[in-house]
Every structure is written in C-alpha cells, then in structure tokens.
Amino acid sequence: MKGKLRKEFIERVETDLDRDFNARNVEDIIHELCDEIEDRLGSILGDMVDIRGITEINDIRNNLQELMDDLW
C-alpha cells in the first residue's frame, strides 16, 4: 500500500494528466509535496530542541516513522 503523501501526489498528477497536460501544474504539485515534507521535517527539528528525555526522543522517532510511512 502506498503512503498517504505518495498516494495523494500520484492521484493529483493523474488528475492533471487526465485533463490537459500542463507541466506547470505537475511542477506546482511537486512543490506542494516538497513543502509538506519540509514543514513536517521542520516540526521534527523543532521538537529536537526540546529533548529532555526518552519521551521526547520517542515522540521524534514516531514523527519520523509517520513521515516515512506517508512517503512509502
């Protein structure tokens, strides 16, 4: 099963390709995907500043695993 982000990306590209193929539309979708990944990684980096113990480390690990799952 494809990850959520990957699945959403593929669905949006397929929708655009089924309509009028426009490289700019596909480029915009790629930028949105990258922005989503960047935002989520930025959030994780922000969490790393607050590391005080095992709870915070587990939270970061869980967030990274969720991002990986959503990508794949």
Side-chain angles (χ1 to χ4, degrees):
M1 178 175 196
K2 292 180 177 74
K4 182 178 85 169
L5 290 177
R6 182 180 292 242
K7 183 178 177 188
E8 288 174 5
F9 173 75
I10 291 169
E11 288 172 355
R12 291 196 56 201
V13 170
E14 286 175 344
T15 299
D16 281 353
L17 291 178
D18 286 343
R19 294 184 297 160
D20 298 328
F21 175 72
N22 182 339
R24 184 146 176 81
N25 290 349
V26 175
E27 182 180 339
D28 289 344
I29 294 168
I30 292 169
H31 285 298
E32 289 174 20
L33 174 67
C34 291
D35 289 345
E36 173 73 18
I37 294 168
E38 180 181 21
D39 289 346
R40 291 173 69 174
L41 288 172
S43 174
I44 292 167
L45 285 173
D47 290 345
M48 293 179 81
V49 172
D50 298 328
I51 293 177
R52 290 187 184 83
I54 194 72
T55 301
E56 290 82 6
I57 292 170
N58 285 336
D59 288 344
I60 292 168
R61 183 180 294 125
N62 291 338
N63 287 334
L64 286 170
Q65 184 63 52
E66 183 180 324
L67 176 58
M68 288 174 49
D69 291 346
D70 286 349
L71 289 171
W72 296 104

PDB file of all heavy atoms in Angstrom, residues 4-29:
ATOM      1  N   LYS A   4       0.480   7.820   2.382  1.00  0.00           N
ATOM      2  CA  LYS A   4      -0.505   8.883   2.172  1.00  0.00           C
ATOM      3  C   LYS A   4       0.017   9.988   1.257  1.00  0.00           C
ATOM      4  O   LYS A   4      -0.670  10.362   0.299  1.00  0.00           O
ATOM      5  CB  LYS A   4      -0.921   9.456   3.525  1.00  0.00           C
ATOM      6  CG  LYS A   4      -1.986  10.535   3.426  1.00  0.00           C
ATOM      7  CD  LYS A   4      -2.380  11.027   4.789  1.00  0.00           C
ATOM      8  CE  LYS A   4      -1.390  12.104   5.199  1.00  0.00           C
ATOM      9  NZ  LYS A   4      -1.759  12.855   6.375  1.00  0.00           N
ATOM     10  N   LEU A   5       1.189  10.516   1.528  1.00  0.00           N
ATOM     11  CA  LEU A   5       1.709  11.609   0.701  1.00  0.00           C
ATOM     12  C   LEU A   5       1.964  11.152  -0.723  1.00  0.00           C
ATOM     13  O   LEU A   5       1.643  11.846  -1.680  1.00  0.00           O
ATOM     14  CB  LEU A   5       2.998  12.172   1.302  1.00  0.00           C
ATOM     15  CG  LEU A   5       2.853  12.949   2.598  1.00  0.00           C
ATOM     16  CD1 LEU A   5       4.229  13.376   3.112  1.00  0.00           C
ATOM     17  CD2 LEU A   5       1.973  14.160   2.413  1.00  0.00           C
ATOM     18  N   ARG A   6       2.559   9.976  -0.863  1.00  0.00           N
ATOM     19  CA  ARG A   6       2.836   9.441  -2.195  1.00  0.00           C
ATOM     20  C   ARG A   6       1.535   9.219  -2.956  1.00  0.00           C
ATOM     21  O   ARG A   6       1.414   9.581  -4.131  1.00  0.00           O
ATOM     22  CB  ARG A   6       3.613   8.141  -2.077  1.00  0.00           C
ATOM     23  CG  ARG A   6       3.992   7.534  -3.411  1.00  0.00           C
ATOM     24  CD  ARG A   6       4.741   6.257  -3.184  1.00  0.00           C
ATOM     25  NE  ARG A   6       6.027   6.545  -2.595  1.00  0.00           N
ATOM     26  CZ  ARG A   6       7.184   6.266  -3.166  1.00  0.00           C
ATOM     27  NH1 ARG A   6       7.216   5.666  -4.322  1.00  0.00           N
ATOM     28  NH2 ARG A   6       8.313   6.556  -2.574  1.00  0.00           N
ATOM     29  N   LYS A   7       0.546   8.635  -2.289  1.00  0.00           N
ATOM     30  CA  LYS A   7      -0.738   8.361  -2.923  1.00  0.00           C
ATOM     31  C   LYS A   7      -1.413   9.658  -3.363  1.00  0.00           C
ATOM     32  O   LYS A   7      -1.912   9.749  -4.490  1.00  0.00           O
ATOM     33  CB  LYS A   7      -1.631   7.594  -1.948  1.00  0.00           C
ATOM     34  CG  LYS A   7      -2.956   7.194  -2.538  1.00  0.00           C
ATOM     35  CD  LYS A   7      -3.774   6.398  -1.533  1.00  0.00           C
ATOM     36  CE  LYS A   7      -5.131   6.076  -2.116  1.00  0.00           C
ATOM     37  NZ  LYS A   7      -6.030   5.492  -1.151  1.00  0.00           N
ATOM     38  N   GLU A   8      -1.413  10.672  -2.490  1.00  0.00           N
ATOM     39  CA  GLU A   8      -2.024  11.956  -2.842  1.00  0.00           C
ATOM     40  C   GLU A   8      -1.302  12.588  -4.025  1.00  0.00           C
ATOM     41  O   GLU A   8      -1.944  13.143  -4.925  1.00  0.00           O
ATOM     42  CB  GLU A   8      -1.995  12.905  -1.644  1.00  0.00           C
ATOM     43  CG  GLU A   8      -2.956  12.518  -0.548  1.00  0.00           C
ATOM     44  CD  GLU A   8      -2.803  13.380   0.702  1.00  0.00           C
ATOM     45  OE1 GLU A   8      -2.012  14.350   0.685  1.00  0.00           O
ATOM     46  OE2 GLU A   8      -3.475  13.073   1.699  1.00  0.00           O
ATOM     47  N   PHE A   9       0.019  12.516  -4.039  1.00  0.00           N
ATOM     48  CA  PHE A   9       0.799  13.076  -5.138  1.00  0.00           C
ATOM     49  C   PHE A   9       0.435  12.384  -6.454  1.00  0.00           C
ATOM     50  O   PHE A   9       0.171  13.041  -7.463  1.00  0.00           O
ATOM     51  CB  PHE A   9       2.289  12.926  -4.836  1.00  0.00           C
ATOM     52  CG  PHE A   9       3.175  13.330  -5.977  1.00  0.00           C
ATOM     53  CD1 PHE A   9       3.366  14.668  -6.281  1.00  0.00           C
ATOM     54  CD2 PHE A   9       3.817  12.364  -6.731  1.00  0.00           C
ATOM     55  CE1 PHE A   9       4.183  15.041  -7.337  1.00  0.00           C
ATOM     56  CE2 PHE A   9       4.637  12.737  -7.786  1.00  0.00           C
ATOM     57  CZ  PHE A   9       4.817  14.065  -8.087  1.00  0.00           C
ATOM     58  N   ILE A  10       0.418  11.068  -6.442  1.00  0.00           N
ATOM     59  CA  ILE A  10       0.113  10.310  -7.658  1.00  0.00           C
ATOM     60  C   ILE A  10      -1.300  10.618  -8.142  1.00  0.00           C
ATOM     61  O   ILE A  10      -1.530  10.826  -9.339  1.00  0.00           O
ATOM     62  CB  ILE A  10       0.309   8.800  -7.422  1.00  0.00           C
ATOM     63  CG1 ILE A  10       1.803   8.505  -7.253  1.00  0.00           C
ATOM     64  CG2 ILE A  10      -0.284   7.972  -8.561  1.00  0.00           C
ATOM     65  CD1 ILE A  10       2.109   7.109  -6.759  1.00  0.00           C
ATOM     66  N   GLU A  11      -2.252  10.682  -7.225  1.00  0.00           N
ATOM     67  CA  GLU A  11      -3.631  10.983  -7.614  1.00  0.00           C
ATOM     68  C   GLU A  11      -3.740  12.362  -8.255  1.00  0.00           C
ATOM     69  O   GLU A  11      -4.446  12.543  -9.258  1.00  0.00           O
ATOM     70  CB  GLU A  11      -4.555  10.893  -6.398  1.00  0.00           C
ATOM     71  CG  GLU A  11      -4.797   9.476  -5.932  1.00  0.00           C
ATOM     72  CD  GLU A  11      -5.555   9.405  -4.609  1.00  0.00           C
ATOM     73  OE1 GLU A  11      -5.821  10.461  -3.995  1.00  0.00           O
ATOM     74  OE2 GLU A  11      -5.880   8.280  -4.200  1.00  0.00           O
ATOM     75  N   ARG A  12      -3.046  13.347  -7.699  1.00  0.00           N
ATOM     76  CA  ARG A  12      -3.108  14.697  -8.259  1.00  0.00           C
ATOM     77  C   ARG A  12      -2.458  14.757  -9.629  1.00  0.00           C
ATOM     78  O   ARG A  12      -2.964  15.417 -10.535  1.00  0.00           O
ATOM     79  CB  ARG A  12      -2.475  15.692  -7.311  1.00  0.00           C
ATOM     80  CG  ARG A  12      -3.334  15.845  -6.051  1.00  0.00           C
ATOM     81  CD  ARG A  12      -3.019  17.043  -5.246  1.00  0.00           C
ATOM     82  NE  ARG A  12      -3.125  18.259  -6.026  1.00  0.00           N
ATOM     83  CZ  ARG A  12      -2.525  19.397  -5.694  1.00  0.00           C
ATOM     84  NH1 ARG A  12      -1.807  19.461  -4.609  1.00  0.00           N
ATOM     85  NH2 ARG A  12      -2.657  20.458  -6.436  1.00  0.00           N
ATOM     86  N   VAL A  13      -1.333  14.065  -9.796  1.00  0.00           N
ATOM     87  CA  VAL A  13      -0.669  14.053 -11.101  1.00  0.00           C
ATOM     88  C   VAL A  13      -1.561  13.360 -12.118  1.00  0.00           C
ATOM     89  O   VAL A  13      -1.731  13.849 -13.242  1.00  0.00           O
ATOM     90  CB  VAL A  13       0.717  13.385 -11.021  1.00  0.00           C
ATOM     91  CG1 VAL A  13       1.292  13.146 -12.408  1.00  0.00           C
ATOM     92  CG2 VAL A  13       1.670  14.241 -10.198  1.00  0.00           C
ATOM     93  N   GLU A  14      -2.146  12.235 -11.747  1.00  0.00           N
ATOM     94  CA  GLU A  14      -3.037  11.515 -12.672  1.00  0.00           C
ATOM     95  C   GLU A  14      -4.209  12.389 -13.076  1.00  0.00           C
ATOM     96  O   GLU A  14      -4.615  12.397 -14.240  1.00  0.00           O
ATOM     97  CB  GLU A  14      -3.522  10.218 -12.030  1.00  0.00           C
ATOM     98  CG  GLU A  14      -2.468   9.146 -11.964  1.00  0.00           C
ATOM     99  CD  GLU A  14      -2.927   7.914 -11.206  1.00  0.00           C
ATOM    100  OE1 GLU A  14      -3.937   7.981 -10.471  1.00  0.00           O
ATOM    101  OE2 GLU A  14      -2.245   6.889 -11.323  1.00  0.00           O
ATOM    102  N   THR A  15      -4.770  13.121 -12.141  1.00  0.00           N
ATOM    103  CA  THR A  15      -5.891  14.008 -12.435  1.00  0.00           C
ATOM    104  C   THR A  15      -5.472  15.067 -13.450  1.00  0.00           C
ATOM    105  O   THR A  15      -6.184  15.333 -14.421  1.00  0.00           O
ATOM    106  CB  THR A  15      -6.400  14.699 -11.147  1.00  0.00           C
ATOM    107  OG1 THR A  15      -6.847  13.692 -10.249  1.00  0.00           O
ATOM    108  CG2 THR A  15      -7.540  15.648 -11.445  1.00  0.00           C
ATOM    109  N   ASP A  16      -4.302  15.665 -13.236  1.00  0.00           N
ATOM    110  CA  ASP A  16      -3.822  16.677 -14.172  1.00  0.00           C
ATOM    111  C   ASP A  16      -3.510  16.078 -15.537  1.00  0.00           C
ATOM    112  O   ASP A  16      -3.754  16.707 -16.564  1.00  0.00           O
ATOM    113  CB  ASP A  16      -2.586  17.392 -13.623  1.00  0.00           C
ATOM    114  CG  ASP A  16      -2.941  18.443 -12.587  1.00  0.00           C
ATOM    115  OD1 ASP A  16      -4.145  18.698 -12.394  1.00  0.00           O
ATOM    116  OD2 ASP A  16      -2.025  19.003 -11.973  1.00  0.00           O
ATOM    117  N   LEU A  17      -2.971  14.870 -15.556  1.00  0.00           N
ATOM    118  CA  LEU A  17      -2.645  14.244 -16.833  1.00  0.00           C
ATOM    119  C   LEU A  17      -3.904  13.825 -17.584  1.00  0.00           C
ATOM    120  O   LEU A  17      -3.914  13.818 -18.807  1.00  0.00           O
ATOM    121  CB  LEU A  17      -1.713  13.048 -16.625  1.00  0.00           C
ATOM    122  CG  LEU A  17      -0.299  13.391 -16.157  1.00  0.00           C
ATOM    123  CD1 LEU A  17       0.506  12.121 -15.946  1.00  0.00           C
ATOM    124  CD2 LEU A  17       0.403  14.322 -17.125  1.00  0.00           C
ATOM    125  N   ASP A  18      -4.960  13.489 -16.844  1.00  0.00           N
ATOM    126  CA  ASP A  18      -6.212  13.129 -17.492  1.00  0.00           C
ATOM    127  C   ASP A  18      -6.868  14.353 -18.128  1.00  0.00           C
ATOM    128  O   ASP A  18      -7.590  14.236 -19.099  1.00  0.00           O
ATOM    129  CB  ASP A  18      -7.181  12.483 -16.502  1.00  0.00           C
ATOM    130  CG  ASP A  18      -6.772  11.064 -16.152  1.00  0.00           C
ATOM    131  OD1 ASP A  18      -5.962  10.482 -16.903  1.00  0.00           O
ATOM    132  OD2 ASP A  18      -7.249  10.537 -15.138  1.00  0.00           O
ATOM    133  N   ARG A  19      -6.600  15.525 -17.555  1.00  0.00           N
ATOM    134  CA  ARG A  19      -7.101  16.759 -18.154  1.00  0.00           C
ATOM    135  C   ARG A  19      -6.064  17.210 -19.171  1.00  0.00           C
ATOM    136  O   ARG A  19      -5.439  16.390 -19.821  1.00  0.00           O
ATOM    137  CB  ARG A  19      -7.299  17.828 -17.069  1.00  0.00           C
ATOM    138  CG  ARG A  19      -8.391  17.462 -16.084  1.00  0.00           C
ATOM    139  CD  ARG A  19      -8.641  18.546 -15.099  1.00  0.00           C
ATOM    140  NE  ARG A  19      -7.430  18.773 -14.287  1.00  0.00           N
ATOM    141  CZ  ARG A  19      -7.199  19.875 -13.610  1.00  0.00           C
ATOM    142  NH1 ARG A  19      -8.038  20.861 -13.637  1.00  0.00           N
ATOM    143  NH2 ARG A  19      -6.111  20.005 -12.882  1.00  0.00           N
ATOM    144  N   ASP A  20      -5.906  18.460 -19.310  1.00  0.00           N
ATOM    145  CA  ASP A  20      -4.883  18.982 -20.207  1.00  0.00           C
ATOM    146  C   ASP A  20      -3.531  18.855 -19.535  1.00  0.00           C
ATOM    147  O   ASP A  20      -3.330  19.367 -18.436  1.00  0.00           O
ATOM    148  CB  ASP A  20      -5.162  20.456 -20.529  1.00  0.00           C
ATOM    149  CG  ASP A  20      -6.478  20.642 -21.252  1.00  0.00           C
ATOM    150  OD1 ASP A  20      -6.858  19.737 -22.006  1.00  0.00           O
ATOM    151  OD2 ASP A  20      -7.125  21.682 -21.051  1.00  0.00           O
ATOM    152  N   PHE A  21      -2.614  18.176 -20.207  1.00  0.00           N
ATOM    153  CA  PHE A  21      -1.281  18.035 -19.630  1.00  0.00           C
ATOM    154  C   PHE A  21      -0.632  19.410 -19.582  1.00  0.00           C
ATOM    155  O   PHE A  21      -0.535  20.105 -20.568  1.00  0.00           O
ATOM    156  CB  PHE A  21      -0.411  17.083 -20.451  1.00  0.00           C
ATOM    157  CG  PHE A  21       1.000  17.007 -19.938  1.00  0.00           C
ATOM    158  CD1 PHE A  21       1.268  16.358 -18.746  1.00  0.00           C
ATOM    159  CD2 PHE A  21       2.046  17.602 -20.617  1.00  0.00           C
ATOM    160  CE1 PHE A  21       2.560  16.289 -18.251  1.00  0.00           C
ATOM    161  CE2 PHE A  21       3.333  17.538 -20.126  1.00  0.00           C
ATOM    162  CZ  PHE A  21       3.589  16.880 -18.945  1.00  0.00           C
ATOM    163  N   ASN A  22      -0.219  19.756 -18.398  1.00  0.00           N
ATOM    164  CA  ASN A  22       0.416  21.051 -18.197  1.00  0.00           C
ATOM    165  C   ASN A  22       1.575  20.832 -17.233  1.00  0.00           C
ATOM    166  O   ASN A  22       1.370  20.562 -16.055  1.00  0.00           O
ATOM    167  CB  ASN A  22      -0.604  22.036 -17.627  1.00  0.00           C
ATOM    168  CG  ASN A  22      -0.047  23.416 -17.440  1.00  0.00           C
ATOM    169  OD1 ASN A  22       1.167  23.608 -17.349  1.00  0.00           O
ATOM    170  ND2 ASN A  22      -0.939  24.386 -17.361  1.00  0.00           N
ATOM    171  N   ALA A  23       2.783  20.969 -17.760  1.00  0.00           N
ATOM    172  CA  ALA A  23       3.961  20.727 -16.926  1.00  0.00           C
ATOM    173  C   ALA A  23       3.973  21.645 -15.716  1.00  0.00           C
ATOM    174  O   ALA A  23       4.438  21.271 -14.645  1.00  0.00           O
ATOM    175  CB  ALA A  23       5.231  20.911 -17.744  1.00  0.00           C
ATOM    176  N   ARG A  24       3.430  22.835 -15.855  1.00  0.00           N
ATOM    177  CA  ARG A  24       3.402  23.780 -14.732  1.00  0.00           C
ATOM    178  C   ARG A  24       2.538  23.242 -13.598  1.00  0.00           C
ATOM    179  O   ARG A  24       2.886  23.388 -12.435  1.00  0.00           O
ATOM    180  CB  ARG A  24       2.896  25.141 -15.197  1.00  0.00           C
ATOM    181  CG  ARG A  24       2.918  26.193 -14.131  1.00  0.00           C
ATOM    182  CD  ARG A  24       3.233  27.550 -14.754  1.00  0.00           C
ATOM    183  NE  ARG A  24       3.178  28.633 -13.818  1.00  0.00           N
ATOM    184  CZ  ARG A  24       4.160  28.938 -12.979  1.00  0.00           C
ATOM    185  NH1 ARG A  24       5.239  28.221 -12.953  1.00  0.00           N
ATOM    186  NH2 ARG A  24       4.056  29.965 -12.172  1.00  0.00           N
ATOM    187  N   ASN A  25       1.418  22.600 -13.924  1.00  0.00           N
ATOM    188  CA  ASN A  25       0.571  22.010 -12.888  1.00  0.00           C
ATOM    189  C   ASN A  25       1.312  20.925 -12.131  1.00  0.00           C
ATOM    190  O   ASN A  25       1.244  20.853 -10.905  1.00  0.00           O
ATOM    191  CB  ASN A  25      -0.706  21.415 -13.492  1.00  0.00           C
ATOM    192  CG  ASN A  25      -1.648  22.476 -14.000  1.00  0.00           C
ATOM    193  OD1 ASN A  25      -1.475  23.655 -13.750  1.00  0.00           O
ATOM    194  ND2 ASN A  25      -2.656  22.056 -14.737  1.00  0.00           N
ATOM    195  N   VAL A  26       2.013  20.068 -12.862  1.00  0.00           N
ATOM    196  CA  VAL A  26       2.778  18.993 -12.229  1.00  0.00           C
ATOM    197  C   VAL A  26       3.886  19.593 -11.370  1.00  0.00           C
ATOM    198  O   VAL A  26       4.124  19.150 -10.245  1.00  0.00           O
ATOM    199  CB  VAL A  26       3.344  18.017 -13.285  1.00  0.00           C
ATOM    200  CG1 VAL A  26       4.243  16.986 -12.631  1.00  0.00           C
ATOM    201  CG2 VAL A  26       2.204  17.345 -14.051  1.00  0.00           C
ATOM    202  N   GLU A  27       4.543  20.621 -11.875  1.00  0.00           N
ATOM    203  CA  GLU A  27       5.592  21.287 -11.106  1.00  0.00           C
ATOM    204  C   GLU A  27       5.025  21.861  -9.800  1.00  0.00           C
ATOM    205  O   GLU A  27       5.646  21.738  -8.746  1.00  0.00           O
ATOM    206  CB  GLU A  27       6.226  22.400 -11.942  1.00  0.00           C
ATOM    207  CG  GLU A  27       7.359  23.107 -11.256  1.00  0.00           C
ATOM    208  CD  GLU A  27       7.963  24.196 -12.125  1.00  0.00           C
ATOM    209  OE1 GLU A  27       7.798  24.168 -13.360  1.00  0.00           O
ATOM    210  OE2 GLU A  27       8.600  25.085 -11.535  1.00  0.00           O
ATOM    211  N   ASP A  28       3.852  22.464  -9.877  1.00  0.00           N
ATOM    212  CA  ASP A  28       3.212  23.009  -8.675  1.00  0.00           C
ATOM    213  C   ASP A  28       2.921  21.914  -7.658  1.00  0.00           C
ATOM    214  O   ASP A  28       3.119  22.096  -6.454  1.00  0.00           O
ATOM    215  CB  ASP A  28       1.907  23.735  -9.032  1.00  0.00           C
ATOM    216  CG  ASP A  28       2.143  25.045  -9.772  1.00  0.00           C
ATOM    217  OD1 ASP A  28       3.291  25.547  -9.756  1.00  0.00           O
ATOM    218  OD2 ASP A  28       1.174  25.547 -10.384  1.00  0.00           O
ATOM    219  N   ILE A  29       2.466  20.765  -8.135  1.00  0.00           N
ATOM    220  CA  ILE A  29       2.162  19.647  -7.239  1.00  0.00           C
ATOM    221  C   ILE A  29       3.445  19.145  -6.580  1.00  0.00           C
ATOM    222  O   ILE A  29       3.465  18.846  -5.385  1.00  0.00           O
ATOM    223  CB  ILE A  29       1.453  18.510  -8.014  1.00  0.00           C
ATOM    224  CG1 ILE A  29       0.069  18.986  -8.479  1.00  0.00           C
ATOM    225  CG2 ILE A  29       1.319  17.264  -7.139  1.00  0.00           C
ATOM    226  CD1 ILE A  29      -0.590  18.061  -9.472  1.00  0.00           C
TER     227      ILE A  29
END
